[in-house]
Amino acid sequence: MRVRTLGEFKVNAIGLGCMNLSHAYGTPPDEKTAETLLLTAFDSGVNLFDTAALYGFGANETLVGRVLKPHRKDIVLTSKCGMQGVNGVRVIDGRAATIKQTCEDALRRLQTDVIDLYYLHRLDKNVPIEDSVGALADLVREGKIRNIGLSEMSAATLRRACAVHPIAAMQTEYSLWTRNAEIAVLAACRELGVAFVAFSPVGRGFLAGGISSMAALAHLAEKDIRRGMPRFYPEYFEQNLAFLTAFQDLANSWGYAPASLALAWLLHQSEHIIPIPGTTRISHLLENLTAADRVLSKIDLAQMDAVVRAHPIAGARYNDATQREIDTEN
């Protein structure tokens, strides 16, 4: 796999987002299935694993920590603070004391002495970014974290954060069907030497063809977070199926699995982009990893962009309430 820079580390070009092993997309897999997937990822060359206090309200950090503890020295372990479960409710809290306590809890759950990259998961709009990053800088000085990251924040906030302490990574959704990062923050990361970690790089499963019909949409689990995302509302989803069909036809004509082609597109956008697709299936994991070996020409990339232009994506990526919580350009 190609190697890319993430803070002080060199990581393989495709990491693993661990969220859906515990959180967000309906009923998570059983513990044995999740363990097998994590170990298969490691054995297949993945050395970047991404979790957060929010995922399963601590359960995902516990899972990742237990399973990967024997391989700790061989992986780059990342987690997030600033958004977690409190008494069963998701809470955004960027206060210094909360960040430091969340880190202590994460270290215990992850069964490690230091977290390689620790993100501020969301901007707490009641707390200056300088204060939140200042707390993270204290954790660096105390040896509890090695690098600081931000998640779902704007170029302007990134610049303010960098004035307090070097920022190693910005994590934001980015894919063929979610390209708001191209407004400003992607270029700001390149300018400032900040890695761009792309979550949901296959469009929350859409680009992989996992939900390819109105019938499949109707069968999403009741607690699947996609039910609350406008692009998956029936009135928009039906329009988006035209894009999916055109994209799948292109992938099939080139002999690529659609998910692999979507990830290859991301890797070709810039050397500072590191996608972290998540999955609960080993077959999908191995399919995703083939993207690191795909070579796309400028003509290929232009054809892919033409598909997007011909079939504009309908619907916002978040509903209004969630959109108000994030700081990204829109």
Side-chain angles (χ1 to χ4, degrees):
M1 295 176 71
R2 305 177 198 174
V3 174
R4 301 204 162 178
T5 300
L6 181 64
E8 64 191 75
F9 300 100
K10 298 294 184 182
V11 298
N12 287 329
I14 299 176
L16 181 69
C18 301
M19 179 180 75
N20 48 355
L21 297 177
S22 307
H23 185 87
Y25 294 108
T27 303
D30 62 77
E31 195 166 281
K32 181 61 178 177
T33 299
E35 177 179 339
T36 300
L37 188 130
L38 287 169
L39 293 175
T40 301
F42 175 77
D43 290 340
S44 301
V46 174
N47 63 350
L48 171 62
F49 292 84
D50 180 272
T51 182
L54 178 71
Y55 303 161
F57 289 8
N60 196 247
E61 286 182 328
T62 299
L63 169 71
V64 170
R66 177 181 61 79
V67 174
L68 296 178
K69 183 179 181 181
H71 309 291
R72 179 66 185 89
K73 64 181 177 57
D74 298 314
I75 66 172
V76 176
L77 184 60
T78 80
S79 193
K80 307 179 194 72
C81 63
M83 183 165 65
Q84 57 273 324
V86 178
N87 297 324
V89 177
R90 180 177 63 86
V91 173
I92 296 173
D93 187 345
R95 293 174 296 173
T98 302
I99 286 172
K100 292 179 179 181
Q101 183 57 57
T102 305
C103 182
E104 294 294 340
D105 295 340
L107 290 168
R108 172 177 48 81
R109 289 191 289 253
L110 291 167
Q111 300 187 48
T112 188
D113 295 326
V114 61
I115 299 169
D116 297 319
L117 171 61
Y118 205 41
Y119 293 93
L120 184 64
H121 205 159
R122 290 289 186 273
L123 175 66
D124 183 341
K125 297 184 180 181
N126 296 311
V127 178
I129 187 63
E130 290 82 359
D131 291 358
S132 297
V133 173
L136 290 167
D138 288 343
L139 292 172
V140 173
R141 286 187 286 270
E142 292 166 13
K144 295 178 179 178
I145 68 175
R146 291 193 170 106
N147 295 269
I148 296 173
L150 305 177
S151 176
E152 290 279 61
M153 298 188 199
S154 65
T157 299
L158 173 61
R159 293 182 190 281
R160 288 173 59 190
C162 286
V164 177
H165 189 279
I167 301 299
M170 173 67 76
Q171 185 172 144
T172 291
E173 184 175 358
Y174 187 35
S175 69
L176 272 167
W177 89 326
T178 297
R179 299 178 68 168
N180 60 296
E182 295 173 359
I183 297 170
V185 76
L186 192 62
C189 286
R190 185 185 300 110
E191 174 194 336
L192 297 167
V194 175
F196 186 96
V197 178
F199 77 78
S200 296
V202 291
R204 301 186 184 275
F206 181 75
L207 298 175
I211 312 171
S212 57
S213 67
M214 296 298 290
L217 179 69
H219 282 90
L220 285 179
E222 182 181 349
K223 293 186 178 181
D224 192 306
I225 60 172
R226 289 170 291 191
R227 285 190 173 273
M229 295 176 171
R231 289 179 184 179
F232 293 94
Y233 294 173
E235 61 268 30
Y236 294 125
F237 185 77
E238 193 164 18
Q239 297 177 59
N240 292 330
L241 286 177
F243 164 72
L244 180 62
T245 298
F247 175 65
Q248 288 179 320
D249 288 346
L250 183 64
N252 291 336
S253 72
W254 291 350
Y256 288 2
S260 180
L261 181 57
L263 289 165
W265 176 87
L266 259 181
L267 290 171
H268 281 72
Q269 298 309 298
S270 176
E271 286 293 324
H272 74 300
I273 295 173
I274 304 167
I276 51 166
T279 184
T280 60
R281 300 184 186 181
I282 288 176
S283 59
H284 292 172
L285 166 72
L286 299 178
E287 182 178 273
N288 290 342
L289 297 182
T290 64
D293 298 319
R294 304 291 190 191
V295 178
L296 301 176
S297 68
K298 290 182 179 180
I299 294 175
D300 295 335
L301 294 169
Q303 282 187 263
M304 295 177 73
D305 285 338
V307 169
V308 178
R309 289 195 300 274
H311 304 280
I313 304 304
R317 70 185 181 110
Y318 288 133
N319 60 37
D320 289 344
T322 303
Q323 186 63 44
R324 286 193 293 270
E325 292 179 345
I326 64 173
D327 180 55
T328 56
E329 291 85 5
N330 188 33

